Amino acid sequence: MSDDRWNTVLVLGGIRSGKSAFAEALVADAPSVRYVATAVGGEDDPEWLARIEAHQRRRPQSWSTEETGADPARLAALLTEAKPDDTLLVDDLGGWVTQLLEPARQPNDDEADVAALAAAVRGTSARVVLVSPEVGLALVPTTPVGRAFADALGATNQALAEACDRVALVVAGQHVWLKADSSEKSDSSGAAAEAGGAPASATAAASSAAGSSAAGSVAAGSVAAGSVAEADLVEPQLVAPAPAAEPTAVPVAASATTVPNEPTQLLPVIGGGVAIEPGMDLPMPDSDAGPDARDRLAGVDFAGIGLGDLVEAVEFAAATQGTTIPRPWESVRVLLISGAHDGGAAAGDDPADAERRVAQVEHGEGVLSRLAGQAGADVAVLRVARSGAMEDGPVTDEAAVDVALRQGWRLAEAAADAGRDLLVLASIGVGTDAVAATLSSAITGAEGVEVLPRVQLPGGRYDDEAWMVRCAAVRDALRRIRQEPRGAKDMLRQIGGADFAVAVGALLGAASRRLPVLLDGPLGIAAGLVARDLGSQARHWCLLPDAGKLALVVKGADVLGLNPVLDLGLGLGEGANALAALPLLRTAVGLAAAAPVHPALLVEPGDGGASDLIVPNDDDEIDFAEPEPGGPGPATTGADAGEE
């Protein structure tokens, strides 16, 4: 099975439905594709030739073409011979069935040919996308030949739908996933079975698919380059890292996170329309619970001044939980978004190293997985579509942005549906820092060079030449987009790309479900700035545990009104910083809930003691309460009262 959790996909659709464009989007992230053409003839039909030429022009030059021609058995042979690193796109099975029914081949056991093709699909080690016309929605043909074709194609579609990992239906350029793999269906939420998931690449692809004939494509697990489509709302790989073992007389370097023993599950994505547009009316945290929780801490029985700056975390927990005495977060999900950007933004980044780190997380290894295991968190790993060079033009299309936003929204919903009470946004990507700096500069007006992080190489060295290349890319991108006002979604299309759009959607979706989010890095802060222009309430559901040392994070958080809870200067990677600080935040919230009120402040009505008289106010001064009628006045002592 491929990295994005699928090997074979069947794409169904009517004439001019956009099925071919969608299928092409599913494999857009492959380095090379073998396009298998099944159509033959048409030399005397200009309109038919024009259709074929349109398909040819749409294919990248890196693709190769093979024709099965008049030999239907050749298709099964191609699938059987394909290697694990091959990607094949078969377009379409209607032409294959036509040759199967060719009078010159009769009599022939057509059912055996269909069974052989289905077996080849099941057994292939390559990634394969098959396109086929859906004939089941049309009228029954009036001719024997037409009925034979419809019957044969219908039987072929059924056999291949059963053999393929995924099945999608495309109608009017919009797609719906009809079939998800068994691992998704086994997810405890059951959502996958309800809606059918989208293959990792498929999701990204979806948008592109719709994008080719209308624009866009996005993928989960792995997405198509630069565009995104709908029903292919991505399914990230969901990993539950085991808690790291405590080092026992073993060098620290030798103590590593245990690889999960249980099989990896896929996070299901549920379809449905979510209108993500400026001016969204999202819920707000409780405006009273937070301040009341802070006030309550003034009277808690701490030996010293109390929780210090950690009070910020307690107030946030109280507001987002809607209670004066909040509980520590118990069930955490980390959403790790892995994207890549072309052009100068990627200067100095090593794609192989980024891929290595993502693979580590998928196997429950590395710093992020270790911290997640200690926090009892699971990690949803989402690979998204590659984005273009921001200095050259739009990095993706409008449809891809819409699909990625909805994808992120549903990932947040999935976390809430799974009972998670905290979401941590994490990122491992290529070119992410430069893109985040460009978005931050465009939205806040900060100088791009001022907020652009330096390029650090392994060993602590800095690559200043790569940083200058990034500076030029940021400059050119800002110059290109500043010619006219840009809305949030246009900023994502022009600069952000799929990874930032998914992050924005996740922040908005989390706010819609009252799910608090921890941010700690460039992608999360930039996504927060963009999300603010779609739903201003989203930022109130975010907490910044530590700002680290990046000016991009510090300045962006200031614009968002997020005050760092701690000043640790962490640089463990986006998401890992928040997880490292999480135990301390949990401790603070737990102490605030468990610590009793100081005995001197307990009020016993009618005892006439000092506890009846003093109430701490917000300025930590002492006010005198109004006395009971007939009791001692505020300035009198017990002896004075007796004399009265």
Side-chain angles (χ1 to χ4, degrees):
M1 183 162 284
S2 67
D3 289 340
D4 50 4
R5 320 306 294 169
W6 62 273
N7 265 35
T8 53
V9 176
L10 174 64
V11 179
L12 302 170
I15 298 172
R16 295 295 189 183
S17 62
K19 60 184 182 297
S20 294
F22 175 71
E24 291 165 9
L26 293 179
V27 297
D29 59 337
S32 63
V33 176
R34 295 165 64 189
Y35 185 95
V36 182
T38 61
V40 297
E43 292 80 3
D44 300 327
D45 187 341
E47 192 272 338
W48 181 252
L49 290 177
R51 287 183 179 227
I52 294 177
E53 290 173 358
H55 277 253
Q56 293 172 339
R57 287 193 300 270
R58 205 163 57 204
R59 300 173 208 158
Q61 293 184 352
S62 61
W63 290 16
S64 60
T65 301
E66 299 195 34
E67 297 183 0
T68 57
D71 182 12
R74 175 63 180 150
L75 178 56
L78 285 174
L79 297 178
T80 302
E81 297 164 0
K83 296 179 174 54
D85 56 350
D86 287 343
T87 300
L88 282 72
L89 172 57
V90 181
D91 195 358
D92 68 7
L93 293 178
W96 183 81
V97 169
T98 299
Q99 295 307 309
L100 200 66
L101 300 178
E102 184 68 25
R105 299 187 74 252
Q106 305 305 320
N108 180 66
D109 188 352
D110 300 333
E111 292 183 0
D113 288 335
V114 172
L117 179 59
V121 169
R122 288 192 192 91
T124 186
S125 57
R127 288 177 59 182
V128 179
V129 176
L130 303 109
V131 181
S132 185
E134 173 51 60
V135 296
L137 303 179
L139 297 174
V140 176
T142 59
T143 64
V145 173
R147 288 193 292 272
F149 175 80
D151 291 346
L153 184 57
T156 301
N157 288 346
Q158 289 188 48
L160 292 182
E162 193 278 329
C164 287
D165 299 328
R166 309 292 178 86
V167 180
L169 174 65
V170 181
V171 179
Q174 307 300 310
H175 60 276
V176 176
W177 290 100
L178 305 179
K179 178 183 178 182
D181 64 21
S182 58
S183 65
E184 288 179 305
K185 292 179 181 178
S186 67
D187 186 277
S188 59
S189 71
E194 179 182 341
S201 276
T203 294
S207 164
S208 210
S212 296
S213 39
S217 134
V218 168
S222 179
V223 188
S227 69
V228 177
E230 171 94 20
D232 33 84
L233 284 178
V234 25
E235 321 150 347
Q237 179 178 348
L238 190 58
V239 182
E246 291 297 326
T248 57
V250 181
V252 174
S255 121
T257 304
T258 305
V259 178
N261 295 320
E262 298 183 357
T264 297
Q265 293 181 329
L266 295 180
L267 181 64
V269 178
I270 304 175
V274 178
I276 300 180
E277 299 292 344
M280 299 183 72
D281 186 15
L282 300 173
M284 284 282 289
D286 192 316
S287 59
D288 294 326
D292 288 348
R294 178 183 287 270
D295 292 344
R296 176 182 171 276
L297 292 177
V300 168
D301 189 13
F302 291 138
I305 61 173
L307 295 173
D309 292 340
L310 289 170
V311 171
E312 188 82 21
V314 177
E315 184 172 0
F316 175 78
T320 53
Q321 295 176 25
T323 176
T324 304
I325 306 178
R327 55 175 176 75
W329 303 284
E330 298 175 351
S331 184
V332 182
R333 172 158 295 172
V334 180
L335 175 56
L336 172 60
I337 302 173
S338 176
H341 298 259
D342 293 332
D349 281 344
D350 183 356
D353 190 58
E355 174 58 31
R356 176 184 66 84
R357 293 185 183 279
V358 175
Q360 277 186 330
V361 177
E362 290 176 327
H363 291 86
E365 302 169 351
V367 173
L368 185 69
S369 291
R370 182 181 182 85
L371 291 170
Q374 291 174 338
D378 57 16
V379 185
V381 183
L382 177 65
R383 301 168 184 268
V384 302
R386 191 176 193 90
S387 301
M390 62 181 179
E391 64 268 35
D392 295 338
V395 299
T396 187
D397 55 45
E398 220 175 299
V401 169
D402 286 336
V403 172
L405 286 169
R406 288 191 291 271
Q407 179 182 23
W409 181 288
R410 283 165 179 74
L411 292 176
E413 285 189 326
D417 291 340
R420 303 297 180 263
D421 56 10
L422 184 68
L423 185 67
V424 177
L425 203 56
S427 170
I428 298 175
V430 175
T432 307
D433 285 356
V435 173
T438 307
L439 285 172
S440 178
S441 177
I443 295 173
T444 67
E447 287 293 333
V449 174
E450 182 184 6
V451 297
L452 178 64
R454 296 183 68 185
V455 181
Q456 186 171 3
L457 302 176
R461 296 178 296 111
Y462 290 98
D463 187 342
D464 290 334
E465 291 186 4
W467 183 79
M468 288 188 285
V469 173
R470 292 188 184 184
C471 284
V474 172
R475 176 201 63 201
D476 294 344
L478 290 173
R479 185 178 299 165
R480 179 176 62 80
I481 67 170
R482 278 179 172 166
Q483 297 175 3
E484 57 185 78
R486 305 284 181 180
K489 295 172 76 170
D490 195 42
M491 290 295 295
L492 293 172
R493 181 177 69 90
Q494 294 284 347
I495 302 295
D499 48 354
F500 284 85
V502 169
V504 170
L507 294 181
L508 296 171
S512 75
R513 296 298 298 271
R514 301 179 180 274
L515 179 65
V517 182
L518 298 187
L519 306 178
D520 70 348
L523 180 136
I525 291 297
L529 290 169
V530 177
R532 183 187 60 164
D533 292 336
L534 292 169
S536 59
Q537 304 89 342
R539 66 185 179 90
H540 296 283
W541 294 93
C542 299
L543 181 70
L544 182 66
D546 178 55
K549 297 295 186 181
L550 298 180
L552 167 59
V553 175
V554 174
K555 292 182 178 296
D558 184 61
V559 173
L560 287 172
L562 301 180
N563 298 318
V565 179
L566 304 168
D567 184 15
L568 302 177
L570 294 174
L572 301 173
E574 186 158 3
N577 296 329
L579 288 173
L582 181 57
L584 188 54
L585 304 184
R586 279 173 160 169
T587 298
V589 176
L591 281 175
V597 175
H598 193 285
L601 300 179
L602 292 175
V603 176
E604 296 293 340
D607 67 356
S611 58
D612 280 327
L613 307 177
I614 53 175
V615 179
N617 68 9
D618 293 339
D619 298 321
D620 293 331
E621 298 174 349
I622 300 298
D623 291 338
F624 286 93
E626 290 294 327
E628 293 292 332
T636 61
T637 66
D640 293 333
E643 293 174 3
E644 290 179 359

